[in-house]
Amino acid sequence: MRISIWSTVVSMFLGASSFAAERPNILFIFTDDHASHAMSCYGSKINETPNLDRIADEGMLFRNCFCTNSICGPSRAVIQTGKYSHKNGFYMNGDRFDGTQQTFPKLLQAAGYQTAVIGKWHLGEHMPPQGYSYSDVLVGQGPYYNPPMLRDVDGSGDQERIKRTGYTTDIITDLALEWLKSGRDESRPFMLMYQHKAPHREWAPGPDHLTMYDDVDIPEPDNLFDDYATRGRAAREQDMTIATTMTPRDLKLVPPPYLNEEQLEVWNAAYGPKNRAFEKANLEGDDLVRWKYQRYIKDYLRCIASVDDNVGRVLDYLDETGLADNTVVIYSSDQGFYLGDHGWFDKRFMYEESYRMPLLIKWPGVTEPGSVNTDLVSNVDFAETFLDIAGVDIPGDMQGASLVPLLKGETPDDWRKSHYYQYYEFLNDRRTAHMVRRHYGVRTARYKLIHFYNIDEWELYDLASDPREMRNLYGEPQYQDLIQDLKAEIVRLQEELEVPDDAGSVEPNPPSLKIR
Ligand code: CA
């Protein structure tokens, strides 16, 4: 109470605008498919991310941040709206985001924030990003080099298409820095979404990192040759294995089609000798899988190295200008990824590696440097958090909760004890990317229950004794009481979140979500 009276007095003397200028800036750094087990602050065994680690060192690292639907577009729609897919209408890639609905950037903009999105948007080109004072976004997925981009300099909806030359991760950073330096209105606080394409498939490294890791072997995950014993059809029948799904382009046996002559020369100088050695070795069976894993993981990590370098440039700029003192910096990625775990790449499943999102938040004067949070948090909390940071009321129809109390080290007693997940991108009558069955499930601090509902198969994992989720306990007699409790929790969450029985269905006779 004392603070709010004092604030009123201060703003009366200084005028509302100068008081408003003290509201923190928000810099949201976002990547695509960056698993937390490829970040050194999360204990990566395979790479170093010194600049991302700076955010963790100066702020809070969230160990248990989970997405509601582990796929690119849907995760972004959840972040825009603070609502699950069945509420924001964006269930699977290829859907069109309804930009006319309530989003957190619109609410920040109405409260006087200058809002910008630069880089990957991936919510469709049917309408320009809504709620932004400035946008400069990739078209669709966007290529790793020479991306065409759509720029709207004043939020009017008029977009100019500009094809840029160079490596996309560098270009997006250049544009973000340019906007911070000279594009924004310095009298107002800003919210910038600085969003990379990397390290999304097909993991094409930048010119500075094409030969990084050439002389080392990256450790393999212990379940690279998982046989899916104890698990069901969903794990066995997916189409995302390193052994069989990867294409010559994924494996860089052919160069990307979008390189210019000069870039292609640099590329071939790096990959040519490596590819000739591979052809000569004539590998088969497990040796071939091991080679594919090395090629995949090195390219993935090379893309992350570029992200890390570029995030360093932006953090340096904030430090050098003093903007860092009043800027909340967030790092996250739309979901995790399989780094050879279970023999896979890609995401989609509710298993830990792709369900977990990295989340680092640094808020000078608020987050204790080097702190770690283990509460269950989610991308459905991001919109609420950004509004709360800005002092803007959180609408009652958002479905998550602000992380601000957690950032202050004060987890509320009624913080969630379980998290609900649902994945939709599987069409019974059509071939869909990676063929991962629809499922929903619940995760608590210790357990996870998953229902692949159109084949009615269940899986239960004890994450304390089996963090890699290799032993499905669903059929084991001693877990039957626990299973009934977790099923009841799913029903409770489906009611609380208002998940319709036919959520996301496009078939004439959709499989029911109902637990029978
Ligand atoms: Ca993604």
Side-chain angles (χ1 to χ4, degrees), residues 322-362:
L323 270 174
D325 296 342
N326 195 32
T327 300
V328 184
V329 178
I330 299 104
Y331 180 79
S332 190
S333 191
D334 55 357
Q335 74 280 310
F337 214 64
Y338 297 96
L339 308 181
D341 317 281
H342 301 291
W344 297 335
F345 66 100
D346 214 71
K347 53 255 181 182
R348 301 161 198 274
F349 280 109
M350 196 193 173
Y351 304 129
E352 294 288 278
E353 293 84 359
S354 60
Y355 176 41
R356 176 175 283 111
M357 304 166 74
L359 179 62
L360 310 173
I361 303 181
K362 151 174 115 83

Tab-separated table of all heavy atoms in Angstrom, residues 322-362:
chain	number	residue	atom	x	y	z
A	322	GLY	N	23.851	0.209	-20.910
A	322	GLY	CA	23.144	0.369	-19.638
A	322	GLY	C	21.691	-0.065	-19.700
A	322	GLY	O	21.002	-0.067	-18.684
A	323	LEU	N	21.222	-0.453	-20.901
A	323	LEU	CA	19.840	-0.935	-21.020
A	323	LEU	C	19.611	-2.187	-20.174
A	323	LEU	O	18.496	-2.453	-19.730
A	323	LEU	CB	19.538	-1.287	-22.491
A	323	LEU	CG	18.983	-0.207	-23.411
A	323	LEU	CD1	18.897	-0.753	-24.832
A	323	LEU	CD2	17.602	0.258	-22.939
A	324	ALA	N	20.676	-2.948	-19.967
A	324	ALA	CA	20.563	-4.208	-19.219
A	324	ALA	C	19.965	-4.001	-17.834
A	324	ALA	O	19.251	-4.869	-17.327
A	324	ALA	CB	21.936	-4.877	-19.105
A	325	ASP	N	20.233	-2.839	-17.227
A	325	ASP	CA	19.771	-2.610	-15.852
A	325	ASP	C	18.253	-2.663	-15.723
A	325	ASP	O	17.733	-2.995	-14.666
A	325	ASP	CB	20.242	-1.223	-15.362
A	325	ASP	CG	21.759	-1.157	-15.276
A	325	ASP	OD1	22.385	-2.236	-15.254
A	325	ASP	OD2	22.303	-0.032	-15.251
A	326	ASN	N	17.567	-2.265	-16.778
A	326	ASN	CA	16.104	-2.240	-16.688
A	326	ASN	C	15.451	-3.090	-17.783
A	326	ASN	O	14.388	-2.762	-18.286
A	326	ASN	CB	15.586	-0.793	-16.761
A	326	ASN	CG	14.129	-0.696	-16.302
A	326	ASN	OD1	13.697	-1.452	-15.440
A	326	ASN	ND2	13.381	0.211	-16.911
A	327	THR	N	16.123	-4.162	-18.169
A	327	THR	CA	15.566	-5.046	-19.189
A	327	THR	C	15.490	-6.478	-18.650
A	327	THR	O	16.491	-7.009	-18.172
A	327	THR	CB	16.416	-5.007	-20.472
A	327	THR	OG1	16.431	-3.669	-20.983
A	327	THR	CG2	15.863	-5.943	-21.535
A	328	VAL	N	14.305	-7.051	-18.722
A	328	VAL	CA	14.129	-8.457	-18.372
A	328	VAL	C	14.490	-9.270	-19.612
A	328	VAL	O	13.917	-9.039	-20.681
A	328	VAL	CB	12.677	-8.758	-17.951
A	328	VAL	CG1	12.536	-10.206	-17.490
A	328	VAL	CG2	12.215	-7.798	-16.868
A	329	VAL	N	15.457	-10.169	-19.487
A	329	VAL	CA	15.864	-10.990	-20.623
A	329	VAL	C	15.388	-12.421	-20.383
A	329	VAL	O	15.665	-13.008	-19.335
A	329	VAL	CB	17.396	-10.982	-20.825
A	329	VAL	CG1	17.792	-11.894	-21.984
A	329	VAL	CG2	17.901	-9.563	-21.062
A	330	ILE	N	14.672	-12.933	-21.363
A	330	ILE	CA	14.139	-14.292	-21.271
A	330	ILE	C	14.754	-15.102	-22.406
A	330	ILE	O	14.837	-14.629	-23.538
A	330	ILE	CB	12.600	-14.307	-21.446
A	330	ILE	CG1	11.920	-13.474	-20.354
A	330	ILE	CG2	12.050	-15.729	-21.437
A	330	ILE	CD1	11.422	-12.144	-20.821
A	331	TYR	N	15.177	-16.325	-22.126
A	331	TYR	CA	15.572	-17.226	-23.207
A	331	TYR	C	14.708	-18.473	-23.134
A	331	TYR	O	14.587	-19.092	-22.067
A	331	TYR	CB	17.052	-17.644	-23.125
A	331	TYR	CG	17.394	-18.582	-24.268
A	331	TYR	CD1	17.630	-18.077	-25.544
A	331	TYR	CD2	17.369	-19.975	-24.114
A	331	TYR	CE1	17.853	-18.919	-26.628
A	331	TYR	CE2	17.599	-20.824	-25.190
A	331	TYR	CZ	17.847	-20.288	-26.441
A	331	TYR	OH	18.065	-21.115	-27.517
A	332	SER	N	14.138	-18.838	-24.278
A	332	SER	CA	13.389	-20.097	-24.337
A	332	SER	C	13.353	-20.599	-25.770
A	332	SER	O	13.877	-19.955	-26.683
A	332	SER	CB	11.966	-19.895	-23.804
A	332	SER	OG	11.318	-21.145	-23.655
A	333	SER	N	12.777	-21.768	-25.946
A	333	SER	CA	12.610	-22.362	-27.268
A	333	SER	C	11.233	-22.997	-27.331
A	333	SER	O	10.698	-23.398	-26.291
A	333	SER	CB	13.699	-23.409	-27.506
A	333	SER	OG	13.709	-23.803	-28.861
A	334	ASP	N	10.652	-23.108	-28.530
A	334	ASP	CA	9.238	-23.499	-28.607
A	334	ASP	C	8.939	-24.879	-28.043
A	334	ASP	O	7.834	-25.162	-27.626
A	334	ASP	CB	8.686	-23.331	-30.032
A	334	ASP	CG	9.486	-24.061	-31.087
A	334	ASP	OD1	10.525	-24.671	-30.767
A	334	ASP	OD2	9.077	-24.003	-32.270
A	335	GLN	N	9.929	-25.747	-28.045
A	335	GLN	CA	9.848	-27.018	-27.320
A	335	GLN	C	11.239	-27.625	-27.332
A	335	GLN	O	12.171	-27.017	-27.836
A	335	GLN	CB	8.816	-27.983	-27.916
A	335	GLN	CG	9.192	-28.655	-29.219
A	335	GLN	CD	8.972	-27.764	-30.419
A	335	GLN	OE1	7.926	-27.178	-30.609
A	335	GLN	NE2	9.978	-27.614	-31.235
A	336	GLY	N	11.359	-28.835	-26.761
A	336	GLY	CA	12.650	-29.505	-26.793
A	336	GLY	C	12.833	-30.282	-28.086
A	336	GLY	O	12.173	-29.987	-29.103
A	337	PHE	N	13.702	-31.277	-28.053
A	337	PHE	CA	14.026	-32.028	-29.259
A	337	PHE	C	14.740	-33.309	-28.839
A	337	PHE	O	15.372	-33.361	-27.789
A	337	PHE	CB	14.974	-31.187	-30.139
A	337	PHE	CG	14.774	-31.368	-31.623
A	337	PHE	CD1	13.596	-30.990	-32.229
A	337	PHE	CD2	15.785	-31.897	-32.415
A	337	PHE	CE1	13.415	-31.135	-33.600
A	337	PHE	CE2	15.613	-32.046	-33.785
A	337	PHE	CZ	14.427	-31.655	-34.378
A	338	TYR	N	14.628	-34.335	-29.673
A	338	TYR	CA	15.372	-35.578	-29.416
A	338	TYR	C	16.736	-35.471	-30.060
A	338	TYR	O	16.841	-35.224	-31.270
A	338	TYR	CB	14.598	-36.791	-29.945
A	338	TYR	CG	13.297	-36.937	-29.209
A	338	TYR	CD1	12.115	-36.426	-29.721
A	338	TYR	CD2	13.269	-37.497	-27.930
A	338	TYR	CE1	10.931	-36.485	-29.005
A	338	TYR	CE2	12.089	-37.571	-27.201
A	338	TYR	CZ	10.930	-37.061	-27.749
A	338	TYR	OH	9.768	-37.111	-27.018
A	339	LEU	N	17.748	-35.644	-29.255
A	339	LEU	CA	19.128	-35.549	-29.736
A	339	LEU	C	19.687	-36.967	-29.828
A	339	LEU	O	20.671	-37.315	-29.194
A	339	LEU	CB	19.947	-34.676	-28.788
A	339	LEU	CG	19.317	-33.302	-28.486
A	339	LEU	CD1	20.214	-32.494	-27.560
A	339	LEU	CD2	19.029	-32.532	-29.777
A	340	GLY	N	18.978	-37.801	-30.599
A	340	GLY	CA	19.323	-39.219	-30.686
A	340	GLY	C	18.685	-40.031	-29.567
A	340	GLY	O	18.743	-41.260	-29.580
A	341	ASP	N	18.066	-39.371	-28.594
A	341	ASP	CA	17.373	-40.069	-27.508
A	341	ASP	C	16.265	-40.927	-28.118
A	341	ASP	O	15.532	-40.452	-28.988
A	341	ASP	CB	16.761	-39.049	-26.542
A	341	ASP	CG	17.716	-37.897	-26.233
A	341	ASP	OD1	18.609	-38.090	-25.416
A	341	ASP	OD2	17.548	-36.800	-26.844
A	342	HIS	N	16.138	-42.153	-27.670
A	342	HIS	CA	15.184	-43.128	-28.234
A	342	HIS	C	15.439	-43.387	-29.727
A	342	HIS	O	14.554	-43.888	-30.425
A	342	HIS	CB	13.729	-42.654	-28.056
A	342	HIS	CG	13.330	-42.420	-26.632
A	342	HIS	ND1	13.192	-43.443	-25.715
A	342	HIS	CD2	13.050	-41.271	-25.951
A	342	HIS	CE1	12.833	-42.935	-24.533
A	342	HIS	NE2	12.750	-41.624	-24.653
A	343	GLY	N	16.616	-43.007	-30.206
A	343	GLY	CA	16.932	-43.202	-31.626
A	343	GLY	C	16.351	-42.119	-32.529
A	343	GLY	O	16.377	-42.244	-33.750
A	344	TRP	N	15.838	-41.033	-31.927
A	344	TRP	CA	15.047	-40.066	-32.674
A	344	TRP	C	15.725	-38.715	-32.860
A	344	TRP	O	16.627	-38.323	-32.123
A	344	TRP	CB	13.723	-39.780	-31.940
A	344	TRP	CG	12.821	-40.966	-31.812
A	344	TRP	CD1	12.775	-42.073	-32.606
A	344	TRP	CD2	11.817	-41.166	-30.798
A	344	TRP	NE1	11.795	-42.939	-32.169
A	344	TRP	CE2	11.194	-42.405	-31.050
A	344	TRP	CE3	11.377	-40.414	-29.714
A	344	TRP	CZ2	10.164	-42.910	-30.255
A	344	TRP	CZ3	10.344	-40.919	-28.926
A	344	TRP	CH2	9.751	-42.158	-29.197
A	345	PHE	N	15.155	-37.961	-33.849
A	345	PHE	CA	15.246	-36.517	-33.852
A	345	PHE	C	13.787	-36.031	-33.782
A	345	PHE	O	12.885	-36.808	-33.513
A	345	PHE	CB	15.996	-36.002	-35.095
A	345	PHE	CG	15.298	-36.250	-36.405
A	345	PHE	CD1	14.583	-35.244	-37.025
A	345	PHE	CD2	15.345	-37.499	-37.017
A	345	PHE	CE1	13.931	-35.468	-38.236
A	345	PHE	CE2	14.692	-37.728	-38.224
A	345	PHE	CZ	13.980	-36.717	-38.831
A	346	ASP	N	13.533	-34.749	-33.970
A	346	ASP	CA	12.191	-34.159	-33.903
A	346	ASP	C	11.635	-34.113	-32.462
A	346	ASP	O	12.396	-34.165	-31.505
A	346	ASP	CB	11.212	-34.808	-34.879
A	346	ASP	CG	10.207	-33.770	-35.411
A	346	ASP	OD1	10.612	-32.908	-36.208
A	346	ASP	OD2	9.032	-33.796	-34.991
A	347	LYS	N	10.301	-33.932	-32.364
A	347	LYS	CA	9.677	-33.538	-31.085
A	347	LYS	C	8.332	-34.245	-30.926
A	347	LYS	O	8.270	-35.437	-30.936
A	347	LYS	CB	9.544	-32.013	-31.024
A	347	LYS	CG	8.855	-31.368	-32.202
A	347	LYS	CD	9.820	-30.664	-33.135
A	347	LYS	CE	9.068	-30.008	-34.276
A	347	LYS	NZ	9.951	-29.352	-35.230
A	348	ARG	N	7.239	-33.542	-30.647
A	348	ARG	CA	5.858	-34.028	-30.660
A	348	ARG	C	5.432	-34.872	-29.453
A	348	ARG	O	4.368	-34.673	-28.900
A	348	ARG	CB	5.568	-34.813	-31.951
A	348	ARG	CG	5.785	-33.946	-33.186
A	348	ARG	CD	5.954	-34.763	-34.463
A	348	ARG	NE	6.573	-33.949	-35.505
A	348	ARG	CZ	5.911	-33.155	-36.327
A	348	ARG	NH1	4.593	-33.108	-36.282
A	348	ARG	NH2	6.536	-32.420	-37.204
A	349	PHE	N	6.217	-35.871	-29.080
A	349	PHE	CA	5.856	-36.725	-27.940
A	349	PHE	C	5.935	-35.966	-26.615
A	349	PHE	O	6.724	-35.030	-26.457
A	349	PHE	CB	6.813	-37.909	-27.851
A	349	PHE	CG	6.514	-39.035	-28.797
A	349	PHE	CD1	7.349	-39.272	-29.883
A	349	PHE	CD2	5.429	-39.871	-28.591
A	349	PHE	CE1	7.095	-40.325	-30.758
A	349	PHE	CE2	5.167	-40.933	-29.458
A	349	PHE	CZ	5.999	-41.157	-30.542
A	350	MET	N	5.151	-36.482	-25.654
A	350	MET	CA	5.184	-35.915	-24.306
A	350	MET	C	6.364	-36.441	-23.495
A	350	MET	O	6.474	-36.151	-22.304
A	350	MET	CB	3.857	-36.239	-23.596
A	350	MET	CG	3.590	-35.403	-22.345
A	350	MET	SD	2.220	-36.071	-21.372
A	350	MET	CE	2.320	-35.014	-19.918
A	351	TYR	N	7.226	-37.225	-24.078
A	351	TYR	CA	8.418	-37.673	-23.352
A	351	TYR	C	9.308	-36.462	-23.052
A	351	TYR	O	9.300	-35.461	-23.792
A	351	TYR	CB	9.189	-38.713	-24.165
A	351	TYR	CG	8.361	-39.921	-24.562
A	351	TYR	CD1	8.320	-40.353	-25.881
A	351	TYR	CD2	7.614	-40.626	-23.608
A	351	TYR	CE1	7.564	-41.455	-26.258
A	351	TYR	CE2	6.850	-41.732	-23.983
A	351	TYR	CZ	6.825	-42.134	-25.306
A	351	TYR	OH	6.072	-43.220	-25.680
A	352	GLU	N	10.075	-36.576	-21.999
A	352	GLU	CA	10.770	-35.422	-21.418
A	352	GLU	C	11.568	-34.578	-22.410
A	352	GLU	O	11.545	-33.362	-22.354
A	352	GLU	CB	11.725	-35.880	-20.301
A	352	GLU	CG	11.035	-36.470	-19.092
A	352	GLU	CD	10.307	-35.443	-18.237
A	352	GLU	OE1	10.949	-34.779	-17.406
A	352	GLU	OE2	9.082	-35.325	-18.404
A	353	GLU	N	12.326	-35.221	-23.297
A	353	GLU	CA	13.284	-34.478	-24.117
A	353	GLU	C	12.620	-33.439	-25.017
A	353	GLU	O	13.212	-32.403	-25.305
A	353	GLU	CB	14.117	-35.446	-24.981
A	353	GLU	CG	15.058	-36.336	-24.192
A	353	GLU	CD	14.395	-37.579	-23.634
A	353	GLU	OE1	13.165	-37.770	-23.828
A	353	GLU	OE2	15.100	-38.378	-22.990
A	354	SER	N	11.399	-33.743	-25.490
A	354	SER	CA	10.726	-32.774	-26.362
A	354	SER	C	9.630	-31.994	-25.647
A	354	SER	O	9.191	-30.953	-26.129
A	354	SER	CB	10.147	-33.464	-27.599
A	354	SER	OG	9.221	-34.450	-27.244
A	355	TYR	N	9.192	-32.498	-24.510
A	355	TYR	CA	8.140	-31.841	-23.719
A	355	TYR	C	8.746	-30.660	-22.939
A	355	TYR	O	8.137	-29.610	-22.804
A	355	TYR	CB	7.572	-32.908	-22.800
A	355	TYR	CG	6.531	-32.552	-21.776
A	355	TYR	CD1	5.487	-31.671	-22.055
A	355	TYR	CD2	6.557	-33.170	-20.524
A	355	TYR	CE1	4.523	-31.414	-21.080
A	355	TYR	CE2	5.594	-32.929	-19.561
A	355	TYR	CZ	4.584	-32.039	-19.838
A	355	TYR	OH	3.628	-31.791	-18.890
A	356	ARG	N	9.966	-30.846	-22.489
A	356	ARG	CA	10.623	-29.796	-21.685
A	356	ARG	C	11.101	-28.656	-22.580
A	356	ARG	O	11.640	-28.871	-23.661
A	356	ARG	CB	11.797	-30.380	-20.913
A	356	ARG	CG	12.580	-29.325	-20.130
A	356	ARG	CD	13.683	-29.920	-19.261
A	356	ARG	NE	13.145	-30.511	-18.059
A	356	ARG	CZ	13.106	-31.801	-17.774
A	356	ARG	NH1	13.610	-32.677	-18.617
A	356	ARG	NH2	12.583	-32.242	-16.655
A	357	MET	N	10.917	-27.428	-22.105
A	357	MET	CA	11.449	-26.238	-22.776
A	357	MET	C	12.559	-25.660	-21.910
A	357	MET	O	12.430	-25.639	-20.695
A	357	MET	CB	10.361	-25.161	-22.905
A	357	MET	CG	9.102	-25.602	-23.614
A	357	MET	SD	7.738	-24.404	-23.363
A	357	MET	CE	8.259	-23.060	-24.432
A	358	PRO	N	13.619	-25.134	-22.554
A	358	PRO	CA	14.557	-24.357	-21.748
A	358	PRO	C	13.884	-23.055	-21.340
A	358	PRO	O	13.088	-22.510	-22.102
A	358	PRO	CB	15.723	-24.091	-22.714
A	358	PRO	CG	15.124	-24.175	-24.078
A	358	PRO	CD	13.956	-25.128	-23.985
A	359	LEU	N	14.163	-22.571	-20.149
A	359	LEU	CA	13.647	-21.253	-19.742
A	359	LEU	C	14.618	-20.602	-18.768
A	359	LEU	O	14.863	-21.132	-17.676
A	359	LEU	CB	12.255	-21.376	-19.096
A	359	LEU	CG	11.661	-20.030	-18.626
A	359	LEU	CD1	11.450	-19.063	-19.787
A	359	LEU	CD2	10.348	-20.247	-17.857
A	360	LEU	N	15.179	-19.498	-19.194
A	360	LEU	CA	16.080	-18.687	-18.369
A	360	LEU	C	15.477	-17.290	-18.308
A	360	LEU	O	15.042	-16.765	-19.332
A	360	LEU	CB	17.466	-18.581	-19.016
A	360	LEU	CG	18.149	-19.867	-19.487
A	360	LEU	CD1	19.422	-19.521	-20.250
A	360	LEU	CD2	18.461	-20.771	-18.292
A	361	ILE	N	15.445	-16.698	-17.119
A	361	ILE	CA	14.937	-15.325	-16.995
A	361	ILE	C	15.860	-14.524	-16.082
A	361	ILE	O	16.110	-14.921	-14.944
A	361	ILE	CB	13.492	-15.289	-16.443
A	361	ILE	CG1	12.545	-16.118	-17.342
A	361	ILE	CG2	13.002	-13.830	-16.344
A	361	ILE	CD1	11.088	-16.122	-16.893
A	362	LYS	N	16.334	-13.429	-16.618
A	362	LYS	CA	17.206	-12.526	-15.841
A	362	LYS	C	16.494	-11.200	-15.691
A	362	LYS	O	16.138	-10.560	-16.672
A	362	LYS	CB	18.514	-12.391	-16.606
A	362	LYS	CG	19.281	-11.105	-16.455
A	362	LYS	CD	20.607	-11.232	-17.174
A	362	LYS	CE	20.739	-10.282	-18.351
A	362	LYS	NZ	21.174	-8.931	-17.975
